[in-house]
């Protein structure tokens, strides 16, 4: 038996058997149940959602969207990128990538050959009664890596739409996350501001009036995957399309009343997508929450182009598995990154602190500069447009860009095509600048236990001849490896440089503290956006799994609750469909 939500009866004492909210072909809510004998006392409980809708759309980070072939070179739907869910799947992906050649990687992940794959894992927890697997897939949950993001999608859906434990019953109790928002204390009575560490302004607790406003709206949680090897500008257009889809969906049927606004929640590179979309569609967003965004880029992108994906030494088994999947050496990495505008847009921008590329001699535990650090003012011409055969410290080996011959076939000179991509990257950076939506909240990592590359250092233990600083900037290499080791002749002496590992921060405030991927100086730049209401420097999580952290979830829900206060009061909105 199906009951439209609009016809749901008031709660009865016997109504304790919660049944999930479902939706008909027009998107209107319904409840499914079955009749039972009168002796069976527990009745079905369908909790009717509010009618006024504010969709929440989650935008994942780089490599967090499942991609498949678009039919250009392979059969449409053939998996191109699907991050593994679970340890066994991870080992399987490691085995596949270990056998893959750079030619095969390039053929598989060229931006014009792939599209978002919506068909991957969706598994809504049984304790979540406001959404089904079918509805979650329709909202885009299958587009993004479920092990990374399924938890935060479910947490948002639950806390925003139920707000109470045993919602709809006489014994309903406020969820702990909302008690935290109202008291700024966790379940143990600890002050959460010491963990949230706000940087921009005071953080007032959510008052009773603000909390009651949450119940005025319905917050269906959507996801928006995107082609992360393509331009973030194109991905922003895809997000705007998803915004319009979500808004229009709730205008189809008879029940919902659209507010014509959405809330955007982003992870990592999804923040660049979200900010660019906000520049174009600011009025459609009630507000934005950004998590661990590389606002000013990340020097590790440069390092991976020269030396492959970093690990933490011989015993870092998981790091080695990840490195094999992403790209073990420069050949594995360059064939994808150098052809991917979205990845190159993660390079440090002009807003990142300059002189992050350094050249040092190490001896007896100390380091001495041997040539001026770069960039001085323009990283695009000073670093990104340099190739290894022209200068030893350059970012890209153009011989590794096009192993499959695809770029040469389409564009002719491979390095010219790469140079055009770098020019477009510069334009994207300049257009985005430090813009933020007028109602923005954000958190980033500042943790000395999760070190990130705030700079890249070329180091040598060989003696460097006096006066070398005058010739080192223009020398070419005698030889170099795909893991970065580079040998050159400096004033008749052989000197070998290699990319150094992470700096070791002394405290959480050091530049190399971060979340393991994004250094804190990059994340902190979101504070400079004119629309940013508050920024939280936090610790205790790594980059990929930051949204799985309990403290982060509490903070994000608090921020969303504050954003909701800017919504048009329901008293000023239509009470029914016209």
């Amino acid at each position: 038996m199906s009951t439209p939500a609009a016809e749901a009866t008031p709660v009865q004492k016997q109504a304790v058997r919660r049944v999930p909210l479902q939706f008909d072909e027009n998107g209107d809510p319904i409840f499914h149940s079955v009749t039972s004998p009168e002796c069976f006392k527990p009745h079905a409980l369908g909790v009717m959602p509010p009618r006024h809708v504010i969709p929440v759309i989650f935008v994942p980070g780089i490599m967090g969207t499942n991609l498949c072939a678009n039919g250009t070179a392979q059969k449409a739907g053939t998996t191109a990128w699907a991050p593994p869910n679970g340890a066994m799947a991870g080992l399987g992906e490691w085995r596949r990538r270990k056998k893959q050649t750079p030619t095969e990687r390039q053929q598989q992940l060229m931006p014009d050959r792939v599209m978002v794959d919506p068909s991957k894992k969706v598994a809504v927890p049984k304790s979540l009664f406001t959404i089904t697997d079918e509805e979650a897939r329709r909202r885009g949950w299958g587009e993004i890596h479920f092990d990374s993001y399924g938890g935060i999608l479910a947490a948002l859906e639950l806390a925003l739409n139920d707000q109470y434990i045993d919602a709809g019953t006489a014994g309903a109790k406020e969820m702990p996350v909302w008690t935290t928002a109202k008291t700024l204390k966790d379940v143990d009575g600890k002050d959460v501001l010491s963990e949230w560490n706000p940087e921009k302004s005071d953080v007032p607790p959510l008052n009773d009036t603000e909390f009651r406003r949450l119940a005025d709206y319905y917050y269906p949680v959507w996801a928006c995957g995107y082609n992360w090897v393509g331009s973030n500008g194109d991905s922003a257009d895809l997000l705007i399309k998803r915004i319009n889809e979500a808004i229009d969906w709730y205008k189809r049927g008879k029940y919902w009343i659209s507010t014509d606004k959405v809330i955007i929640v982003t992870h990592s590179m999804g923040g660049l997508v979200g900010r660019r979309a906000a520049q174009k569609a600011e009025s459609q967003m009630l507000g934005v929450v950004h998590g661990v965004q590389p606002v000013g880029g990340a020097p590790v992108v440069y390092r991976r182009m020269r030396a492959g994906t970093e690990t933490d030494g011989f015993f870092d088994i998981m790091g080695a598995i990840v490195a094999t999947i992403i790209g073990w050496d420069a050949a594995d990495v360059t064939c994808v990154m150098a052809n991917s505008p979205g990845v190159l847009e993660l390079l440090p921008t002009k807003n990142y602190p300059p002189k992050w590329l350094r050249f040092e001699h190490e001896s007896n535990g100390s380091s001495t500069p041997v040539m001026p650090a770069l960039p001085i003012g323009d990283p695009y011409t000073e670093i990104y447009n340099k190739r290894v055969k022209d200068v030893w410290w350059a970012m890209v080996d153009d011989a590794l860009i096009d192993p499959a011959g695809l770029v040469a076939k389409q564009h002719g000179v491979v390095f010219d095509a790469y140079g055009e991509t770098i020019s477009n990257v510069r334009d994207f950076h300049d257009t985005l600048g430090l813009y933020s939506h007028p109602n923005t909240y954000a958190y980033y990592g500042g943790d000395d236990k999760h070190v990130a590359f705030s700079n890249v250092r070329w180091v040598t233990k060989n003696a460097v001849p006096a006066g070398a600083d005058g010739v080192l900037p223009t020398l070419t290499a005698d030889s170099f490896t795909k893991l970065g080791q580079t040998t050159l002749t400096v004033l008749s002496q052989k000197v070998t440089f290699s990319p150094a590992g992470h700096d070791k921060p002394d405290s959480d405030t050091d530049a190399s503290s971060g979340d393991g991927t994004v250094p804190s100086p990059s994340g902190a730049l979101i504070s400079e956006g004119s629309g940013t209401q508050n920024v939280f420097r936090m610790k205790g999580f790594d980059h990929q799994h930051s949204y799985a952290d309990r403290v982060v979830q509490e903070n994000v829900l608090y921020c969303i609750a504050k954003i909701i206060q800017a919504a048009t009061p329901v008293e000023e909105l239509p009470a029914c469909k016209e």
Side-chain angles (χ1 to χ4, degrees), residues 60-312:
I62 187 173
M63 297 185 289
T65 299
N66 302 307
L67 301 178
C68 64
N70 60 14
T72 302
Q74 285 184 294
K75 181 181 178 182
T78 302
T79 296
W81 178 261
N85 292 294
M88 293 305 296
L91 288 173
E93 184 69 6
W94 170 73
R95 292 189 188 97
R96 285 188 290 273
R97 294 292 178 182
K98 187 178 180 181
K99 298 176 182 178
Q100 198 172 40
T101 66
T103 295
E104 291 168 336
R105 281 179 180 263
Q106 183 192 3
Q107 290 172 331
Q108 190 176 57
L109 285 170
M110 286 293 283
D112 60 353
R113 291 186 166 205
V114 296
M115 62 183 182
V116 175
D117 182 357
S119 68
K120 300 306 180 187
K121 179 181 177 181
V122 170
V124 172
K126 292 182 179 179
S127 58
L128 192 55
F129 291 97
T130 59
I131 190 172
T132 62
D133 283 357
E134 180 184 8
E135 176 67 9
R137 188 171 298 284
R138 192 191 61 75
R139 295 187 200 163
W141 289 28
E143 296 177 357
I144 67 179
H145 182 221
F146 199 82
D147 272 14
S148 293
Y149 301 119
I152 185 60
L153 295 178
L156 294 175
E157 180 73 30
L158 175 65
L160 290 171
N161 291 311
D162 266 358
Q163 299 163 20
Y164 293 87
I165 298 171
D166 295 329
T169 69
K173 295 180 180 179
E174 188 176 275
M175 287 183 179
V177 68
W178 296 121
T179 303
T180 294
K182 293 168 66 177
T183 64
L184 298 182
K185 296 184 183 299
D186 65 17
V187 292
D188 298 320
K190 181 181 177 181
D191 179 8
V192 297
L193 294 185
S194 62
E195 297 177 303
W196 292 5
N197 195 22
E199 293 194 325
K200 198 170 173 80
S201 64
D202 293 336
V203 178
L206 197 68
N207 63 45
D208 288 337
T209 300
E210 291 173 324
F211 178 62
R212 284 194 296 269
R213 281 206 71 192
L214 303 188
D216 289 342
Y217 309 91
Y218 171 57
Y219 312 96
V221 175
W222 292 55
C224 182
Y226 56 91
N227 180 1
W228 49 266
V229 288
S231 166
N232 285 304
D234 292 340
S235 297
D237 292 338
L238 189 65
L239 175 56
I240 293 171
K241 183 179 179 181
R242 180 59 50 87
I243 290 170
N244 290 324
E245 177 189 354
I247 289 174
D248 290 344
W249 180 258
Y250 299 101
K251 296 179 179 180
R252 290 165 50 100
K254 298 178 180 180
Y255 183 78
W256 305 113
I257 300 171
S258 176
T259 63
D260 292 331
K261 300 279 188 179
V262 302
I263 295 171
I264 302 296
V265 180
T266 76
H267 177 245
S268 189
M269 189 169 86
L272 305 183
V273 176
R275 286 168 54 219
R276 183 68 186 113
Q279 283 184 316
K280 296 182 174 185
E282 186 178 281
S283 64
Q284 291 180 287
M285 299 181 189
L286 186 64
V288 182
V289 179
H290 293 301
V292 292
Q293 181 186 173
V295 182
V300 72
V301 178
Y302 166 97
R303 192 184 189 282
R304 289 179 179 176
M305 291 276 279
R306 282 302 304 268
T309 304
E310 67 286 353
T311 67
D312 288 329

